[in-house]
């Protein structure tokens, strides 16, 4: 009976408020829709992200007296110009470097196997010939799997091209309407909610601002890190500089894990090109300096008001939401973790909260 009273008291404390139950229903419904229909709604999600990015220049034009319709048209036109510049300027160069990398991959792997064969002679107390042979065999199997993947990727190019064409058509259309009629859509959605929605409004206002700041900050971080990396790599003359810069820029989407994963191709390509030369050490040092400046200077500047989470919480959020939602789950892992924190902070504690002491209330 004491256990039942304890459970009943906990339920009365946290779930006796009607607004709290309605907020819980909204959250559960939203997550179910996202994680079950995420692939279908991907163009809409991408359009919402772009619309958030473009809200800044849109509001700036409106403050200067430009009408909403004209401001939406001007911002949308600028977005289209930037997209065309990326498609016509950056994508062909990166695709050419990617094709060249795959073409030279067998030679680099043979070079790596040759280096493995010399390990027992240089470090006999650490490596044996049997271990090296086993590693070489595993590397050969991985190369075979990679060749099958490349073949299957080439065979599935047509469906991927169709999906890309759908994105190229749908996303700009949705972005324009989100810019033009976004406030009308939000007002229509709000009109469907109950009149008593103080808790929902509180959480929505906090998360709307944080989502927008996070998306803008994350895209700005990708651009800055990628651009600085490309300039540094191009000056040093490493091959595939544009491709590696894009990988390094995109790695910031996954906190901590992304930087660790992308380090391997950067170091390997530099080693295959220069060996253990001074240029190799210069590039590795500059790469780690860029990563350190990103984590200790750029991220605090861009996300000081958005991300106030422990690193363990961030990593767990990336693992959980990435496993549930794939790429979108990884991208929104930090905002979703922040949403949970905001909900826990705003959640009503019920009538028994005052009787449980200040430590428990917090």
């Amino acid at each position: 009976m004491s256990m039942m009273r304890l459970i009943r008291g906990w339920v009365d404390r946290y779930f006796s408020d009607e607004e709290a139950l309605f907020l819980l229903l909204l959250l559960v419904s939203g997550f179910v829709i996202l994680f079950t229909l995420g692939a279908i709604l991907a163009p809409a999600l991408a359009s919402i992200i772009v619309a958030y990015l473009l809200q800044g220049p849109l509001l700036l034009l409106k403050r200067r007296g430009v009408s909403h319709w004209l401001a939406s048209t001007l911002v949308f036109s600028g977005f289209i110009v930037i997209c065309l510049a990326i498609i016509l300027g950056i994508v062909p160069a990166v695709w050419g470097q990617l094709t060249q990398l795959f073409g030279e991959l067998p030679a680099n792997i043979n070079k790596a196997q040759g280096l493995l064969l010399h390990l027992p002679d240089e470090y006999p107390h650490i490596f044996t010939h049997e271990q090296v042979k086993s590693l070489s065999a595993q590397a050969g199997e991985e190369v075979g799997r990679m060749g099958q993947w490349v073949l299957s990727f080439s065979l599935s190019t047509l469906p991927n091209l169709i999906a890309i064409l759908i994105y190229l058509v749908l996303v700009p259309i949705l972005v324009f309407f989100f810019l033009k009629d976004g406030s009308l859509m939000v007002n229509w959605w709000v009109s469907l909610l109950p009149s008593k929605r103080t808790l929902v409004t509180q959480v929505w206002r906090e998360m709307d601002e944080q989502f927008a700041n996070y998306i803008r900050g994350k895209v700005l971080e990708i651009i800055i890190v990628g651009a600085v990396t490309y300039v540094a790599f191009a000056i040093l003359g490493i091959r595939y500089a544009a491709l590696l810069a894009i990988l390094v820029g995109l790695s910031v989407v996954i906190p901590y894990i992304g930087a660790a994963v992308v380090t391997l191709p950067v170091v390997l390509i530099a080693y295959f090109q220069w060996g253990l030369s001074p240029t190799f050490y210069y590039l590795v040092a500059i790469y780690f300096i860029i990563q350190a400046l990103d984590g200790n200077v750029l991220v605090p500047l861009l996300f000081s008001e958005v991300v106030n989470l422990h690193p363990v919480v961030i990593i767990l959020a990336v693992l959980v939401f990435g496993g549930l939602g794939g790429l979108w789950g990884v991208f929104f892992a930090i905002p979703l973790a922040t949403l949970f924190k905001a909900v826990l902070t705003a959640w009503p504690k019920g009538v028994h909260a005052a009787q449980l002491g200040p430590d428990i209330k917090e």
Side-chain angles (χ1 to χ4, degrees):
M1 294 297 294
S2 60
M3 179 61 70
M4 293 300 297
R5 285 198 300 270
L6 180 63
I7 295 175
R8 188 180 300 112
W10 182 82
V11 172
D12 290 341
R13 181 187 178 195
Y14 289 102
F15 296 97
S16 59
D17 190 281
E18 295 179 357
E19 286 193 69
L21 292 177
F22 181 72
L23 176 60
L24 180 62
L25 177 62
L26 283 180
L27 291 175
V28 172
S29 303
F31 280 112
V32 169
I33 292 173
L34 282 178
F35 292 131
T36 55
L37 301 176
I40 299 175
L41 298 175
L45 294 176
S47 304
I48 292 173
I49 293 175
V50 175
Y52 265 117
L53 290 173
L54 300 179
Q55 282 297 315
L58 177 66
L59 294 177
L60 180 62
L61 289 176
K62 292 176 66 175
R63 291 193 194 103
R64 294 180 177 274
V66 181
S67 66
H68 178 75
W69 185 89
L70 181 57
S72 302
T73 303
L74 292 175
V75 171
F76 178 75
S77 301
F79 163 70
I80 295 297
V81 170
I82 294 174
C83 289
L84 289 176
I86 293 174
I87 293 174
L88 299 178
I90 298 177
V91 173
V94 174
W95 182 258
Q97 292 188 5
L98 183 62
T99 304
Q100 183 181 1
L101 176 62
F102 275 110
E104 298 178 354
L105 191 60
N108 289 330
I109 292 176
N110 291 332
K111 184 177 180 180
Q113 288 178 332
L115 293 173
L116 287 176
L117 294 176
H118 290 86
L119 288 178
D121 299 329
E122 298 180 5
Y123 308 99
H125 301 292
I126 302 176
F127 299 99
T128 63
H129 288 283
E130 289 75 13
Q131 291 175 335
V132 170
K133 290 180 180 179
S134 176
L135 288 174
S136 298
Q138 292 178 4
E141 294 177 0
E142 292 299 328
V143 172
R145 293 193 188 98
M146 187 174 297
Q148 294 177 358
W149 177 82
V150 172
L151 179 61
S152 63
F153 177 79
S154 62
L155 293 176
S156 61
T157 302
L158 183 59
N160 291 334
L161 288 177
I162 294 175
I164 292 174
L165 290 175
I166 292 174
Y167 269 76
L168 291 177
V169 173
L170 284 182
V171 170
I173 294 175
L174 290 174
V175 167
F176 176 75
F177 284 111
F178 282 144
L179 287 174
K180 177 177 173 291
D181 301 326
S183 59
L184 297 177
M185 296 177 186
V186 172
N187 292 334
W188 175 81
W189 168 249
V190 170
S191 67
L192 301 178
L193 300 178
S195 57
K196 185 182 178 182
R197 49 175 182 268
T198 305
L199 180 61
V200 176
T201 303
Q202 177 183 348
V203 174
W204 164 255
R205 286 177 178 173
E206 179 177 353
M207 292 312 304
D208 179 54
E209 181 178 358
Q210 293 200 3
F211 265 66
N213 291 336
Y214 176 80
I215 292 172
R216 294 167 193 159
K218 184 58 67 176
V219 172
L220 186 59
E221 183 188 7
I222 292 172
I223 295 173
I224 293 175
V225 172
V228 172
T229 302
Y230 175 74
V231 172
F233 284 8
I235 292 175
L236 290 173
I238 189 173
R239 305 179 70 180
Y240 322 116
L243 178 61
L244 292 176
I246 289 179
L247 290 178
V248 174
L250 293 177
S251 69
V252 304
V253 173
I254 311 176
Y256 308 108
I257 303 173
V261 171
V262 81
T263 299
L264 182 62
V266 171
V267 173
L268 286 179
I269 290 176
Y271 178 76
F272 287 144
Q273 181 173 344
W274 295 310
L276 296 178
S277 64
T279 308
F280 169 80
Y281 292 114
Y282 291 151
L283 183 133
V284 173
I286 290 175
Y287 169 74
F288 282 112
I289 289 173
I290 292 173
Q291 293 290 350
L293 291 176
D294 173 48
N296 297 289
V297 178
L298 188 59
V299 169
L301 287 174
L302 295 176
F303 304 105
S304 59
E305 298 180 357
V306 180
V307 180
N308 188 19
L309 301 171
H310 194 277
V312 173
V313 176
I314 294 176
I315 293 175
L316 291 177
V318 169
L319 294 175
V320 172
F321 294 117
L324 292 174
L327 179 61
W328 293 113
V330 170
F331 186 85
F332 287 109
I334 294 179
L336 290 175
T338 307
L339 170 61
F340 274 103
K341 181 181 178 182
V343 171
L344 292 176
T345 302
W347 197 272
K349 302 301 188 296
V351 295
H352 302 290
Q355 305 173 0
L356 297 177
D359 295 334
I360 299 179
K361 285 194 289 182
E362 294 177 358

